[in-house]
Amino acid sequence: MTKEFEKLIREIGDCKSKLDEDRLIEKQIIILKKFTKKKKIKPKQQSELVLRLLFCQLLGHDVSFAHILAINSSQESNLFYKFIGYLAASIFISTNEDLQLLMINSIQKDLKSDKTLAISIALTTITKIITVDMIPAVLSNVLILLKHQEPLIRKKALAVMYTFLKQSPESILKYQKDFELMLDDKDISVTGVALDLFLFISKKKPKTIKHLVVSFVEILNLIISGKLPLEYDYREIHAPWIQIKLLKILSYLGQDDPNTSREIYQVVQLVLKQSEIGFINGVFAGHAIMHECIKTITKLYPSTKLLELASIAAGRFVTSYSNNLKYLGITALTDLVLVYPEATNKHQIIIVDCLEDSDETLKRRTIELLFRITNKSNISFIVEKMLSYLKTQKDKKYKTSLVSRILKLAEEHGTNIKWYILTINKILQIFGDLVTHDIVYNIMKLISEGSLLEDEEDEEDEEDEEDEENGKKGSQKTKYGGNTALKIFSVDIYSEIISLKRPYPNILYQISLWVVGEYSYLCSNFTTEETMINIVDLINAFYISDESRAMAITALTKMVSHSGKYLEQIDTIIQKYSTSRNTDIRQRCFEMKGILKLPNIIDKILPLDSINADIEIDPNLGFLNEFVENSLKNGCKKYISKEERIKMENELQLGMNENKKKSKELRFEAYQPNNTQQSSTWRIPQQNIYEQEINKNQITNTIELEDSISLKVSGISQRWTENGYSGFKENEPKNIENQTEKMEEKDTSDDLNQYNNLGDNNNNNNDDDDDDDDDNNDNLNNNNLNNQNFNHKNEKILEVKSFRFNRIGSKGPMLEEGQKTNEKILNNDNNNNTTTGQQKPPKTEEELKREKTVNALFNGAGSVRTSRKKSKSQRINFNSKHITKNTIEKNLEKTENLINLGSEKN
Amino acid sequence: MIFSVLIVNNRGKPRLVKFYVPIDEEKRLPLVGAIYDVVSQRSDKMCNFFDGNHLENEELKKWGSDIKFVYRHFATLYFIFVVDGTESELGMIDLIQIFVESLDLHFENVCELDLIFHLDKVHQILDQVISGGLILETDPQMIMNRIKEQDDFSKQTKKESKKKKKKKGRRK
């Protein structure tokens, strides 16, 4: 190491902030960059540079510019430099394919080297940088190395095969025979690595290596007999890692296979016994093996004797003082109870105590275990413990999942429905925000229907707890099912919750309000008036949400209708909340007001205990048929179904989208309002007048455009002949024909108008405008008729026109500009001449109108306004869309002329 | 299989970052940082492992569902192993022990500075213990012997190359 590098490290060590450090590294990187540009660097210096790069990279800086240095270094003959090069390369380029290919060459060379160490380094590198594509390039070399005389090389070659196997299992599995030979290797550590390969196979395809069970058992026996050289012992335990691996493989092979399992039982028992000897302080290897034995026994085909041993062993873990062992003990038990439920019987108290440990990881594991060992006898105890644990939790996501799991647990194992309701209330009180609404629905259903199982138990309880009257009621079934005793019980609880007036979560209040609203007449601890006052207070409380408030109002309505009692406070409530900002509350207030006015039928609207009653619903609303017919006779328009309307709107939008696609340039106009705004006239009055105008202009544009797209050629094509433009007059009659066709379509869209009119009071004004327009613009008839083709926006367009004309002062110059450009085209097309630069005097309204008509006629297409912002060529293309092939050619010529002329002028 | 070996100091500075699965360069340090965040918040009384549920990271999900983190805290350094379900947690704790013992044998009372100044050696030792995510050697003395072998060998080649140069010089 040079002094320079040492200095750098020391300086960085002294840095007080990340900024200082970054500055130093950046300086260093500049220096390094200079070096990379040099052509000849001494190997020693090069490896030094590579080390510096490694250092910079470790601190999180990009050194990709110098990866080539690492590769160069790996090609050195000196082993040390080679090692540095390979090391750096394997760290730098684990995902960069180009560089990997560069590496492959030197790796291949080194694999054939006669120096063991060179091979070893190359093999290590392969494991780090290999990708699927590169496997064939080195596979044959590695296979030869599997038989190398040095155990180190054999091991590393096996490790390489393992990475191959992971990347492409199919191509490597055919060498399984070679791996099997390695199991009998003289060196047990080589066998150990081979076991890793088999562990992988046993996980994926256990059936292919079932025949090897005998040899695995043999190896395990050999290890525990202690005949191995001492170097494989770790603190007096024989090769613990290899034992663990063997146990893992055996567990996979014995899974769901009684015959194989029987072969394994004996050896597992031996290993388990021996692992106890290895319990030394501070060394975990003994425990590790024991833990693995428990896991293996859990997976094997169940044997009662072994399971018993395993549960005793697990007990040793759980009762240990070390958190590590407790954690593993709990994990092991979590799996064990699935096959051997008795396993936890002796340790329940210790397990529950783990919830009070300071270690969060341990607690979470314990919770998992508790979920599995919960049954009818311990449910109340466990749920209580879990809830107290929940209170200490901060992670909201975890809390939410836990709450829902506890709720599920209570539902599954709860024996007593009252306990269930109380528990749920407790959960809701604390964690109401985390509960989904289904649970609320479940409770409501439970209370209203009761459940058959609970009935019997409840009857017994009632006889003990409640007086005889209630007891009799309890056994009586109400008209729509359900259990009266349960209802009394729950209504008592919930009216008490309401009377407490605490800022509980809204969800709890919502259940309470519903239950009290439905069954207030059954309440035994409060009178209806008391409860009503409580609810009134609750409505005025600040801590409940609008949703709950709305429910409270409904509950009040129900109570009034059920009991026939009325309080003055209710009036104030109605008065206060009829003007609420929340529409739901407002509506409920009005409903209440309306219902209270009808004392005769009030109990028909809100009958007692009707939640489960079947209400017949006529989806066709047959009783309205008469009304509809009458209305139709009186001249109303037929209803257009929503689908049809949507279809129409979609067509409109399609037109708009195409319009959008066409305008690739910057738009200086305001954006189009979205579809819903267009289709609903009633919204427009909310905007200011200027916006209105723009919006409507837009609408006319799009509609005109859409029309131009859908109308297409028929009228227009004939205006153009091979001789060019043939004038207006010939066209006019055709145009009119066109329009008469369209008039038929008008009917349907008129209906739509009517539909729109329903919600629009200002419409009359529009119609007036309409008339005025027609009067004024007799000569614009064509134009107007055109517009009527898309007349579901008819009045809007006309309105827009009037707007446009009224406000011509402000819009004048823009229009004028548009007209001018359009005129240019007109002139060009007619005379093949350009009249650029001609200034026109400002126009009067009359002139403008006329010009507009002319343009509309001429183009029959893109309106003046939309084409205004487009470049000349685009505009011409745009027009030519509606023109036959011949005329397109013509047009092209014209544009060429135009361009030529323009360039000449320039 | 072992996915990654990390050495991070108390302040979160990585001292050794090794991955045995491909991972993009720019994703490495954020992952190390995320793991450090979890590890550093655990008190010494807590157990030495936790599972993948404790931190969310896209890269981790790619590796599998049963990821475990096993770590030990020595003085100023955290040694963190990221492993999958096929490795025993307790076995990994002992493996960390072996790795540290080997470092100790080589550096004689290893400390953080040794790791900074001899990054290459640390990598070399680690390569002896673990290769391609598999445990190769578990005896510290054996590991030391191998390192010595390599050092001697490279010294030899140095001498040889010097001799060759000298010979060449004489010839000239």
Side-chain angles (χ1 to χ4, degrees), chain A residues 302-319:
Chain A
S303 138
T304 342
K305 192 181 161 198
L306 280 181
L307 284 172
E308 222 163 276
L309 285 175
S311 73
I312 293 168
R316 293 184 67 153
F317 277 86
V318 180
T319 50

Side-chain angles (χ1 to χ4, degrees), chain A residues 151-208:
Chain A
L152 177 70
I153 301 299
R154 292 202 297 268
K155 268 193 266 185
K156 293 217 167 181
L158 274 171
V160 171
M161 291 310 278
Y162 180 75
T163 37
F164 289 174
L165 190 64
K166 274 202 99 171
Q167 300 220 355
S168 90
E170 297 309 318
S171 59
I172 301 302
L173 275 178
K174 57 186 167 195
Y175 303 107
Q176 196 180 313
K177 281 267 164 349
D178 294 279
F179 307 148
E180 280 173 30
L181 286 178
M182 309 294 285
L183 284 179
D184 303 328
D185 200 281
K186 286 173 279 179
D187 194 317
I188 189 77
S189 64
V190 178
T191 314
V193 182
L195 286 174
D196 268 306
L197 289 154
F198 284 104
L199 180 55
F200 183 83
I201 300 170
S202 69
K203 218 168 148 187
K204 302 266 160 161
K205 293 182 173 175
K207 277 181 190 162
T208 54

Side-chain angles (χ1 to χ4, degrees), chain A residues 648-671:
Chain A
M648 284 168 156
E649 275 170 20
N650 281 346
E651 275 166 20
L652 194 82
Q653 199 156 33
L654 258 178
M656 275 169 57
N657 287 345
E658 275 178 45
N659 187 24
K660 270 182 201 163
K661 275 176 208 162
K662 273 171 200 164
S663 54
K664 283 171 192 165
E665 290 169 276
L666 279 176
R667 297 172 49 134
F668 297 100
E669 292 157 312
Y671 275 99

